[in-house]
Amino acid sequence: MIKAIFGQSHHTMSLLYVALLDHVGHRIYSGKEMLRYYSQGFKEFQQKLQKLLGKNGVLIYPTFRNTAPFPELAFGELPNIVLYSSLVNVLGFPAVQIPMGLNSKGMPMGLQVIAAPYQDRLCLAVAKELETAFGGWVPPSISATNN
């Protein structure tokens, strides 16, 4: 990690951060009781979200909390990556990301559409409508790279 801080590592800070969390997490949460506790909470959340969405509901949710961070700071954003996109994948819910244009600084923004398991068609139908309404993908502006 010290090498990575000075740009001398063969690994990114993000990878090293995840490895550290994994190592520490195994030491803290290795008990069977803890595993059972979190597994039960996971299942309950999954069931509640599935019931909320039903067979024809979608959740429109930000893809990420902000636009792209500097690469050197990306490892600090890992908890947000989990919150905004990885959680849906782990739950087994279909999701699609829709580009929504550029923010005031010329950086790309987007939303994701989430549906209950096996309701992929809803995600795709809503994504198509949002993409049509907002113009779809827009290349980042030149000024975003010059700041």
Side-chain angles (χ1 to χ4, degrees):
M1 287 191 113
I2 293 171
K3 281 182 166 182
I5 291 170
F6 295 103
Q8 301 297 314
S9 176
H10 295 290
H11 307 290
T12 64
M13 283 296 286
S14 299
L15 176 65
L16 294 171
Y17 183 70
V18 169
L20 177 67
L21 288 177
D22 183 55
H23 179 73
V24 171
H26 281 295
R27 292 188 183 274
I28 295 172
Y29 303 111
S30 61
K32 289 181 182 180
E33 288 300 317
M34 292 294 274
L35 180 60
R36 217 174 285 128
Y37 172 79
Y38 286 111
S39 294
Q40 182 62 34
F42 174 85
K43 288 176 186 174
E44 288 174 9
F45 179 70
Q46 188 179 39
Q47 290 169 351
K48 284 180 184 178
L49 185 57
Q50 190 166 351
K51 184 178 178 182
L52 176 71
L53 294 172
K55 291 188 177 189
N56 60 3
V58 295
L59 175 62
I60 298 177
Y61 195 67
T63 303
F64 201 58
R65 74 178 186 96
N66 58 7
T67 55
F70 291 107
E72 298 82 10
L73 302 176
F75 75 94
E77 293 294 332
L78 287 175
N80 294 312
I81 293 169
V82 170
L83 178 64
Y84 286 92
S85 57
S86 300
L87 180 61
V88 176
N89 291 325
V90 170
L91 288 169
F93 287 65
V96 62
Q97 196 276 344
I98 306 103
M100 298 299 288
L102 306 175
N103 70 4
S104 61
K105 295 180 181 178
M107 297 296 289
M109 305 181 306
L111 292 174
Q112 58 183 324
V113 176
I114 302 161
Y118 309 108
Q119 301 301 325
D120 303 60
R121 62 180 177 76
L122 290 173
C123 287
L124 296 171
V126 172
K128 182 179 178 182
E129 292 299 320
L130 287 170
E131 186 174 33
T132 300
F134 288 91
W137 183 80
V138 178
S141 68
I142 297 297
S143 64
T145 58
N146 292 337
N147 290 336

